[in-house]
Amino acid sequence: MTSRSALPLDGNAGGLDEILVPNPETQITLTGVYGVNPPF
């Protein structure tokens, strides 16, 4: 893993800490995503 300041994107300034994972497909396992979608 390496870290850097986040790059600007779509008019947003960037600059917050960003973690880069070289092979996320093999190194990260998602167990759930919560609080992202609004209730319907």
Side-chain angles (χ1 to χ4, degrees):
M1 294 187 331
T2 58
S3 64
R4 68 174 184 196
S5 293
L7 302 175
L9 177 66
D10 292 333
N12 296 308
L16 293 175
D17 291 337
E18 177 177 33
I19 304 296
L20 303 173
V21 180
N23 297 306
E25 303 88 8
T26 60
Q27 298 175 325
I28 297 174
T29 302
L30 293 179
T31 57
V33 179
Y34 305 98
V36 178
N37 297 322
F40 293 100

